[in-house]
Structure formats: structure tokens, C-alpha cells
């Protein structure tokens, strides 16, 4: 018999970026509950060392495990690239990252096999995207580019600020003549800059955002990894942050397109 499990799904990012993934999951699974943790005291992760990111990933995951989540979604490319292997070794609860789902979607989308990847410095340096794409098809031509200025712009809520356009134009310059037909937004913050990225890179390049790919991965998880909530379970969404809850609520509003109530956000120490 199909067992039901109404415990929440835990999802985390260094800050607000993972809310792009949360939003897709809330829509796709209307009776699942979620606890989202944004490590806002230590954002950004993307400029930190592999060792530090691994440590942060385990600490954040542990805080969610303490709340008895049934599945962990690492909604951060940097933590997926550098912390997921250690996390899977550390805890028996299943953990899903964002890199493989994003790569699969890009592989299915690209017509010519020329794929760009933009991400944080640490994600690019880890070669996780290059490796995962090569494992899917060794003929892919991969163009990787770190865009370290994008995360602070998004955390600041500057999605359509004129300065953002200048930063995007100059950051994406190295990809302009690369011939890519698909561009992976390899950081969960970047979908918030999607309109300006699309304008700058041109209309013929398909942008890949891992949020819907992660939702599809969860929908297809076998029941030994995920027991779904009962069909009549009522969805609840709780937010945990490691610093300044009010600021988080303000920025979260842009991501989720609705207000986050004061009592939905709790500040915690890791
Ligand atoms: N949103 C995260 C990612 O997907 C990390 C951004 C950061 O903390 O640098 O990589």
C-alpha cells in the first residue's frame, strides 16, 4: 500500500535565491508542506572555499533535520556543487540538488549542443556543471562563466535597476560570440534577472532555470525516497533565516509574488 507522510520537505539556500525553487514546488505539490531555510547571515556562499561551503551545507541541513523534514532539497547550486556529496554521506534522509535536473533540461533543450553556464565563482570552479553535462553527452561544448556580481544585486532587490543592466551587459560579454544556443542559469538567484539576461544574450538563446526541472525530479521520485503527503493534507510554508527577518520578508515578496507574514518567518542560530 502507498504510505503517506505529511512531514514537511526541507529546502535551503544561502539566502533568497532558493525561493525560485520553492515557488515551483509550492505550485506543483499543493498538499505538501515546506520549511525553507535561508542562511542570510552568511550569504554569499559563492565566493567561499569548498571546505566552508561543505560545512555550511551540513549545518543548514542539520537545522532542517532537527525539524523532522522527510526530504532535503538543496536549492543552491553552490551547495549542490560542493556540499551535496558530503551531505549524502552525512545523513540518511534523501537529498536532491539542483545541478543534475538543470543539466538534463539543458541537454533536452539544446539543438546544437553548445551550452553556456553562468554561476557563482565557486560553482564554476568546482566544474560540477561541465562534468555533469559531459556525463550526459561528451560532445557538448560547454562555455562556463562566473558572474559574481549578480547575487548581491538580487539580494538587494535591484532586479530592474539601470545599474543591473550595465553589470549584466559587461558580465555576459565573454559569451556574446560563443555561439551558445542554451544558457543555464546556474545559480538560483539568477532567474530574478531573467528578463535582463534574455535581453542582453539575445532572443535565440534558450534560458534554463532549474526550478521547474527540480519540481519534475521530485514528481518522479520513487516512493522509497519520497512518501507523498495525503491528498487532503493542508499545505503550510514556514521560513527560517539566520539573520534579519524583516529584510528577508521584503525581498521574498519579489520572489513569491505575495506577502510573507511576520509569524511565518523565524530567526534561528545554527
Ligand atoms: N543561490 C546560490 C546558488 O544557487 C548561491 C548564491 C551565493 O550565495 O553566492 O549558487
Amino acid at each position: 500500500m502507498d504510505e503517506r507522510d505529511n512531514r514537511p520537505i526541507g529546502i535551503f539556500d544561502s539566502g533568497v535565491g532558493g525561493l525560485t525553487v520553492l515557488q515551483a514546488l509550492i505550485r506543483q505539490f499543493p498538499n505538501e508542506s515546506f520549511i525553507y531555510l535561508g542562511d542570510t547571515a552568511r550569504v554569499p556562499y559563492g565566493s567561499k572555499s569548498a571546505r566552508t561551503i561543505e560545512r555550511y551545507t551540513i549545518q543548514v541541513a542539520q537545522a532542517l533535520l532537527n525539524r523532522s523534514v522527510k526530504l532535503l532539497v538543496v536549492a543552491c547550486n553552490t551547495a549542490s556543487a560542493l556540499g551535496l556529496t558530503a551531505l549524502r554521506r552525512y545523513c540518511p534522509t534523501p537529498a536532491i540538488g539542483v545541478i543534475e535536473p538543470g543539466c538534463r533540461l539543458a541537454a533536452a533543450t539544446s539543438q546544437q549542443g553548445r551550452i553556456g553556464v553562468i554561476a557563482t565563482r565557486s560553482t564554476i570552479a568546482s566544474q560540477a556543471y561541465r562534468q555533469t553535462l559531459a556525463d550526459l553527452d561528451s560532445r557538448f561544448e560547454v562555455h562556463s562563466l562566473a558572474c559574481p556580481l549578480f547575487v548581491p544585486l538580487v539580494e538587494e532587490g535591484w532586479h530592474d535597476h539601470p545599474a543591473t543592466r550595465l553589470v549584466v551587459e559587461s558580465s555576459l560579454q565573454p559569451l556574446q560570440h560563443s555561439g551558445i544556443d542554451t544558457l543555464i542559469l546556474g545559480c538560483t538567484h539568477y532567474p530574478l534577472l531573467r528578463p535582463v539576461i534574455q535581453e542582453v544574450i539575445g532572443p535565440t538563446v534558450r534560458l534554463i532555470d532549474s526550478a521547474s526541472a527540480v519540481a519534475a525530479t521530485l514528481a518522479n521520485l520513487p516512493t522509497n525516497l519520497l512518501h507523498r503527503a495525503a491528498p487532503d493534507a493542508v499545505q503550510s510554508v514556514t521560513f527560517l533565516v539566520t539573520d534579519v527577518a524583516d529584510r528577508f520578508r521584503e525581498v521574498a515578496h519579489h520572489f513569491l509574488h505575495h506577502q510573507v507574514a511576520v509569524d511565518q518567518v523565524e530567526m534561528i542560530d545554527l
Side-chain angles (χ1 to χ4, degrees):
M1 208 185 64
D2 192 12
E3 275 178 58
R4 295 296 179 174
D5 185 346
N6 288 350
R7 287 180 302 154
I9 293 173
I11 165 165
F12 68 89
D13 180 43
S14 57
V16 290
L19 293 172
T20 53
V21 178
L22 176 68
Q23 200 199 14
L25 297 182
I26 287 175
R27 281 214 196 109
Q28 170 116 14
F29 303 100
N31 29 295
E32 295 291 347
S33 291
F34 297 92
I35 302 181
Y36 180 92
L37 199 161
D39 191 6
T40 48
R42 304 190 292 197
V43 67
Y45 281 11
S47 50
K48 299 194 167 70
S49 70
R51 202 165 149 263
T52 299
I53 295 162
E54 196 177 290
R55 183 163 52 88
Y56 287 0
T57 303
I58 304 275
Q59 286 172 344
V60 168
Q62 186 56 57
L64 288 167
L65 292 169
N66 291 347
R67 305 213 172 202
S68 189
V69 296
K70 61 180 172 183
L71 176 79
L72 288 162
V73 178
V74 185
C76 172
N77 289 264
T78 310
S80 298
L82 294 151
L84 188 57
T85 308
L87 177 59
R88 284 184 172 145
R89 239 183 281 130
Y90 172 80
C91 81
T93 303
I96 307 295
V98 280
I99 292 181
E100 203 183 315
C103 286
R104 287 192 185 282
L105 184 58
T109 303
S110 177
Q111 302 275 317
Q112 287 141 24
R114 285 200 290 273
I115 301 175
V117 181
I118 52 174
T120 64
R121 274 208 180 98
S122 310
T123 301
I124 296 298
S126 76
Q127 306 267 3
Y129 270 101
R130 193 174 282 285
Q131 191 55 54
T132 308
L133 286 166
D135 290 345
L136 290 171
D137 188 335
S138 58
R139 291 166 302 173
F140 285 143
E141 185 184 306
V142 180
H143 296 259
S144 307
L145 181 68
C147 296
L149 296 176
F150 290 8
V151 169
L153 290 168
V154 172
E155 289 281 331
E156 210 42 54
W158 279 25
H159 315 129
D160 42 22
H161 193 281
T164 303
R165 198 194 155 86
L166 287 178
V167 169
V168 172
E169 269 172 6
S170 108
S171 302
L172 296 186
Q173 191 59 38
L175 289 179
Q176 286 302 0
H177 301 290
S178 60
I180 55 167
D181 67 355
T182 302
L183 177 62
I184 300 178
L185 306 180
C187 171
T188 50
H189 282 71
Y190 296 179
L192 265 281
L193 302 179
R194 190 181 182 120
V196 59
I197 293 173
Q198 186 76 73
E199 234 181 89
V200 169
I201 200 73
T204 57
V205 177
R206 302 279 300 272
L207 300 188
I208 302 294
D209 155 3
S210 47
S212 57
V214 171
T217 300
L218 253 65
N220 292 320
L221 275 186
T223 49
N224 62 326
L225 293 182
L226 176 63
H227 287 298
R228 304 281 289 274
D232 59 351
V234 177
Q235 185 175 72
S236 76
V237 183
T238 308
F239 299 91
L240 307 175
V241 291
T242 52
D243 205 359
V244 200
D246 286 348
R247 177 83 192 117
F248 176 86
R249 286 180 52 242
E250 235 173 76
V251 180
H253 184 199
H254 287 287
F255 280 77
L256 300 171
H257 309 297
H258 61 76
Q259 299 281 354
V260 173
V262 177
D263 62 359
Q264 262 182 294
V265 186
E266 186 187 329
M267 206 160 108
I268 59 161
D269 281 325
L270 293 177

